[in-house]
């Protein structure tokens, strides 16, 4: 009898208890995809992309950031977006010296002549991309924080790199930066972390349909309660 | 001529006792025909599913499964059939939820119809599982992520998750077994439970609110209810067809099992929100009590009262459950996708 009367409350409390137990020991899910996972993911962004060194522009809103180390072991963040025709990379780090001694590079593993790496590089304020045409780069220095961007058409006829959307590329990209005046030729590309890479397709990550289903469900619930109650008036 | 054929069938198949038996007139109101509408849509799902299965290749290797879905999409007719199958599933899930909310608010789960409620909850779970396994089969990004979550969840449940363990059938890819679950195990279970559900409706009769119990109500033949089922089922099918023409069933790029970038379909977004807040391991701890609570509804509310105004606790629980479901769904829809897999 007691169970009959207090049953729902007991079950509700039991449910809350069961929820509470694991929540103290379970890893909180707050890491963005790609962090430490070895996957550099280029998010799809609709519309035009710019190669301006402005990380607060709208095109970077949904980009997934990845943290790497520079040649001088300084933290370097990387983001990339594409719109199926153009791809942009954004690299950020703090520099203590002048821009003349800073640099950043993106190397694509084994896609060049004789399986050599194709390198996009920016050194001392200039775009230096040996054996690779059509790459644009730009930079900005704000309060000691250096932002470097690289951009290129996805299917450039002058490039050795042909990238397809939705195709995983294992151990494909190496990215680093420096501010110590290191010469580009002296960087051992093989010693850099090899990242897997994928150009993500358009994903509906903020679906609006669930909002419609939810509104419908709420309305139907209230409607049925009202309808059933009405019968007894 | 028609009536002769119908008469012949009624006599030979014994349909007379089924179609002519009397039911209360209120059973033909729209809210009481939702279950029958789902039944009609379920039959269509079976037909469209059989057609799709002719072209589907359930092997994950070299993207065979994904390629076969692409092949289906490239053919205008089969693509429409696939769209029908997808939108039919969406409609079934939302209508099943409506049906259960109607049954709950009208207290139709009460004695002697407890097993009707239990079988209804089991059918809702089966519909959920059918939809989930179906989303994995397409082997796109959403599909492989759904499978990854499923496999990791199964690993938390110990021996209960043995079916999902690679050691259960080492030489058979999990996608092949999920396909067999989608096209044989789950539909057979659904058919058996639908059979039990229909049998129980026939035996226990369609529920009548207590307000009508003392008032004589016009009784009508069951055949009138069947007509309503076909009518509303046709409307639902028309809606499914319109949606299928206008909005194609989703298929993103081929799945990369090593990344997590998508979200599940709307009916599983509440689970995704729980993963966001408490981690993947919390999911069994939430779903199991929720399921037990749903199955126990007839045991928790055993009075004779059917007036919602006098069942404040039960109606309150329903509103809380729906608000939680909706709140978690909206939360998951509006927040950025995050990684849950360890």
């Amino acid at each position: 009898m007691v169970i009959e009367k207090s049953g729902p409350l007991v079950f509700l409390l039991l449910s809350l208890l069961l929820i509470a137990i694991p929540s103290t020991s379970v890893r909180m899910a707050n890491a963005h995809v790609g962090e430490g996972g070895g996957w550099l993911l280029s998010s799809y962004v609709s519309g035009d992309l710019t190669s301006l060194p402005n990380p607060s522009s709208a095109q970077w809103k949904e980009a997934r950031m990845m943290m790497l180390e520079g040649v001088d072991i300084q933290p370097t963040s990387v983001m990339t977006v594409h719109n199926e025709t153009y791809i942009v990379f954004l690299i950020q780090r703090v520099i203590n010296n002048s821009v003349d001694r800073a640099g950043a590079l993106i190397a694509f593993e084994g896609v060049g002549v004789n399986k050599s790496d194709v390198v996009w590089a920016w050194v001392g304020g200039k775009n230096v991309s040996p054996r690779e045409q059509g790459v644009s780069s730009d930079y900005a220095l704000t309060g000691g924080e250096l932002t470097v961007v690289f951009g290129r058409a996805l299917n450039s006829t002058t490039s050795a790199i042909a990238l397809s959307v939705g195709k995983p590329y294992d151990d494909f990209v190496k990215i680093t930066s420096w501010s110590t005046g290191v010469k580009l030729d002296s960087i051992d590309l093989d010693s850099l972390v090899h990242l897997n890479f994928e150009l993500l397709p358009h994903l509906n990550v903020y679906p609006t349909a669930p909002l419609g289903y939810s509104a419908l469900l709420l309305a139907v619930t209230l409607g049925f309660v009202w309808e059933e109650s009405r019968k007894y008036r | 001529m028609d009536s002769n054929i119908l008469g012949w069938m009624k006599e030979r198949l014994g349909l007379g006792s089924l179609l002519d038996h009397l039911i209360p007139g209120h059973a033909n109101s729209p809210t009481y025909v939702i279950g029958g509408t789902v039944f009609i849509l379920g039959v269509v799902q079976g037909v469209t599913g059989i057609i799709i299965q002719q072209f589907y290749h359930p092997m994950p290797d070299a993207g065979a499964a994904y390629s076969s879905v692409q092949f289906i999409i490239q053919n205008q007719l089969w693509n429409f059939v696939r769209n029908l199958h997808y939108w039919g599933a969406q409609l079934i899930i939302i209508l099943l939820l409506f049906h259960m909310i109607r049954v709950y608010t009208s207290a139709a789960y009460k004695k002697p119809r407890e097993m009707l409620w239990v079988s209804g909850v089991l059918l809702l779970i089966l519909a959920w599982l059918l939809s989930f396994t179906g989303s994995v089969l397409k082997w796109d990004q959403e599909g492989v992520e759904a499978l990854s979550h499923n496999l990791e969840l199964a690993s938390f449940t110990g021996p209960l998750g043995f079916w999902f363990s690679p050691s259960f059938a080492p030489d058979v890819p999990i996608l092949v077994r999920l396909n067999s679950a989608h096209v044989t195990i789950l539909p057979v279970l659904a058919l058996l439970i639908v059979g039990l559900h229909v049998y129980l409706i026939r035996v226990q009769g369609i529920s009548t609110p207590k307000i009508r119990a003392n008032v004589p109500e016009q009784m009508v033949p069951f055949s009138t209810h069947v007509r309503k089922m076909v009518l509303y089922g046709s409307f639902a099918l028309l809606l499914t067809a319109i949606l299928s023409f206008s909005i194609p069933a989703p298929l993103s790029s081929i799945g990369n099992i090593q990344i997590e970038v998508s979200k599940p379909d709307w009916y599983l977004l509440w689970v995704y929100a729980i993963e966001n807040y408490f981690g993947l391991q919390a999911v069994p701890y939430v779903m199991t009590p929720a399921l037990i609570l749903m199955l126990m509804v007839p045991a928790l509310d055993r009075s004779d009262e059917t007036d919602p105004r006098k069942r404040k606790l039960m109606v309150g629980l329903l509103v809380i459950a729906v608000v939680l479901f909706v709140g978690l769904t909206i939360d998951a829809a509006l927040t950025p996708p995050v990684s849950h897999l360890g």
Side-chain angles (χ1 to χ4, degrees):
Chain A
M1 194 65 183
V2 175
I3 291 174
E4 268 179 40
K5 286 184 176 172
S6 58
L9 198 61
V10 170
F11 267 87
L12 198 63
L13 290 173
L14 196 65
S15 303
L16 289 173
L17 187 68
L18 285 169
I19 294 166
I21 291 169
S23 68
T24 55
S25 58
V26 164
R27 170 183 62 87
M28 297 300 285
N30 52 12
H32 278 269
V33 173
E35 279 177 5
W39 280 92
L40 179 64
L41 300 172
S42 184
S43 300
Y44 170 84
V45 176
S46 62
D48 292 337
L49 294 177
T50 66
S51 295
L52 297 172
N54 177 16
S56 55
S57 72
Q59 71 186 36
W60 298 107
K61 194 179 158 203
E62 295 305 323
R64 293 164 166 80
M65 184 182 285
M66 187 170 204
M67 292 306 295
L68 300 166
E69 276 186 355
V71 173
D72 48 3
I73 324 182
Q74 289 299 308
T76 301
S77 70
V78 183
M79 293 190 287
T80 166
V81 291
H82 74 94
N83 63 1
E84 292 185 339
T85 55
Y86 200 77
I87 185 166
V88 188
F89 290 81
L90 187 141
I91 300 170
Q92 279 189 293
R93 58 163 290 149
V94 172
I95 61 168
N96 301 316
N97 300 315
S98 69
V99 167
D100 294 345
R101 297 177 63 78
L105 72 80
I106 303 170
F108 297 91
E109 175 93 13
V111 294
V113 179
N114 296 326
K115 296 198 172 180
S116 61
D117 291 357
V118 167
V119 177
W120 300 0
W122 172 91
V123 181
K126 291 176 187 164
N127 179 29
V128 188
S129 298
R131 299 190 298 275
E132 179 75 344
Q133 294 172 16
V135 179
S136 66
S137 67
D138 199 354
Y139 79 98
L141 184 63
T142 314
E145 186 165 61
L146 176 69
T147 304
V148 179
V149 286
F150 292 96
R152 203 208 72 176
L154 266 183
N155 295 309
S156 167
T157 51
T158 57
S159 172
I161 311 163
L163 297 170
S164 302
V165 175
K167 181 182 171 185
Y169 296 91
D170 292 336
D171 293 336
F172 185 67
V173 183
K174 294 169 278 191
I175 297 174
T176 194
S177 69
W178 61 92
S179 67
T180 49
V182 174
K183 289 190 174 173
L184 181 61
D185 294 344
S186 68
I187 294 173
D188 178 11
L189 294 177
D190 288 336
S191 68
L192 301 176
V193 174
H194 290 52
L195 303 170
N196 303 317
F197 182 65
E198 183 167 335
L199 295 163
L200 295 177
H202 169 63
L203 294 164
N204 192 12
V205 289
Y206 297 106
T208 50
L211 309 181
Y213 285 117
S214 297
L216 208 56
L217 211 53
L218 269 179
V220 163
T221 304
L222 297 176
F224 281 160
V225 171
W226 178 81
E227 168 69 12
E228 290 299 325
S229 302
R230 195 179 59 89
K231 290 175 184 169
Y232 296 86
R233 281 184 201 132
Chain B
M1 184 67 180
D2 280 350
S3 60
N4 285 344
I5 293 171
L6 191 64
W8 186 91
M9 285 176 70
K10 279 171 83 172
E11 190 181 346
R12 301 306 192 282
L13 300 174
L15 293 177
S17 63
L18 181 70
L19 295 174
D20 295 338
H21 87 270
L22 298 177
I23 58 169
H26 75 272
N28 283 339
S29 65
T31 55
Y32 277 71
V33 191
I34 298 173
T37 307
V38 172
F39 179 80
I40 303 274
L41 284 175
V43 172
V44 176
Q45 285 301 97
V47 174
T48 52
I50 287 169
I51 296 170
I52 295 169
Q53 194 64 25
Q54 307 311 308
F55 307 102
Y56 178 70
H57 190 329
M59 288 297 284
D61 297 342
Y66 183 79
S67 298
S68 66
V69 179
Q70 280 186 313
F71 172 81
I72 291 166
I73 287 174
Q74 280 156 11
N75 181 296
Q76 211 170 356
L77 179 60
W78 307 143
N79 184 40
F80 179 67
V81 172
R82 177 177 178 263
N83 291 345
L84 275 181
H85 197 69
Y86 170 79
W87 284 111
Q90 300 283 312
L91 219 57
I92 282 177
I93 287 178
I94 194 81
L95 287 177
L96 270 179
L97 288 172
F98 291 174
H99 179 57
M100 295 205 76
I101 293 168
R102 200 282 298 160
V103 168
Y104 187 98
T105 50
S106 62
Y109 51 77
K110 296 202 170 195
K111 186 184 174 183
R113 298 182 181 84
E114 294 95 329
M115 289 310 293
L116 258 169
W117 171 263
V118 170
S119 59
V121 172
L122 294 178
L123 284 172
L124 179 69
I125 295 165
L126 283 173
W128 231 283
L129 288 173
L130 276 162
S131 208
F132 171 78
T133 50
S135 75
V136 174
L137 295 188
K138 55 193 164 79
W139 209 246
D140 64 351
Q141 192 55 42
E142 186 207 333
V144 297
E145 285 185 38
L147 179 62
S148 302
H149 279 67
N150 181 200
L151 295 180
E152 192 153 319
L153 269 176
S155 72
F156 297 147
T157 55
L160 289 175
F162 74 99
W163 192 82
F164 295 99
S165 163
S167 60
F168 176 79
D171 296 331
V172 185
I174 184 74
L175 183 63
V176 174
R177 289 196 282 127
L178 277 178
N179 182 54
S180 80
H182 187 76
V183 302
T184 54
I185 302 170
L186 294 173
V188 166
L189 281 174
L191 274 175
L192 288 173
I193 299 173
V194 165
L196 173 69
H197 202 72
V198 172
Y199 165 78
L200 288 171
I201 293 169
R202 179 73 179 88
V203 170
Q204 304 296 356
I206 289 170
S207 68
T208 303
K210 268 194 86 181
I211 187 77
R212 290 204 179 93
N214 302 323
V215 183
E217 188 182 2
Q218 188 197 356
M219 301 297 277
V220 294
F222 182 66
S223 57
T224 59
H225 190 70
V226 173
R227 275 193 208 112
K228 292 274 182 187
M229 274 170 58
V230 173
L231 179 68
Y232 291 121
S234 303
F235 277 133
L237 198 55
L238 181 67
L239 178 62
T240 311
I242 291 169
L243 286 166
S244 301
F245 271 121
S246 334
I247 310 168
L251 181 75
S252 69
S253 61
I254 187 166
N256 178 352
I257 208 149
Q258 298 178 65
I259 61 174
E260 265 186 281
V261 290
S262 70
K263 289 178 182 174
D265 217 344
W266 68 273
Y267 57 90
L268 283 172
L269 273 177
W270 66 281
V271 182
Y272 190 85
I274 289 166
E275 291 178 28
N276 281 349
Y277 285 112
F278 304 108
L280 193 64
Q281 270 181 303
V283 172
Y285 292 95
V286 177
M287 288 185 98
T288 309
L291 177 62
I292 292 171
L293 200 59
M294 276 180 80
L295 289 168
M296 294 287 289
V297 161
L300 301 174
D301 180 19
R302 291 162 69 176
S303 70
D304 292 337
E305 189 57 65
T306 55
D307 183 352
R309 295 171 306 170
K310 293 176 182 168
R311 295 161 49 228
K312 286 191 169 62
L313 182 60
M314 294 307 286
V315 172
L317 277 176
L318 170 71
V319 173
I320 289 171
V322 173
V323 167
L324 268 176
F325 181 92
V326 164
L328 289 170
T329 299
I330 293 173
D331 181 71
L334 299 181
T335 50
V338 293
S339 170
H340 300 120
L341 299 172

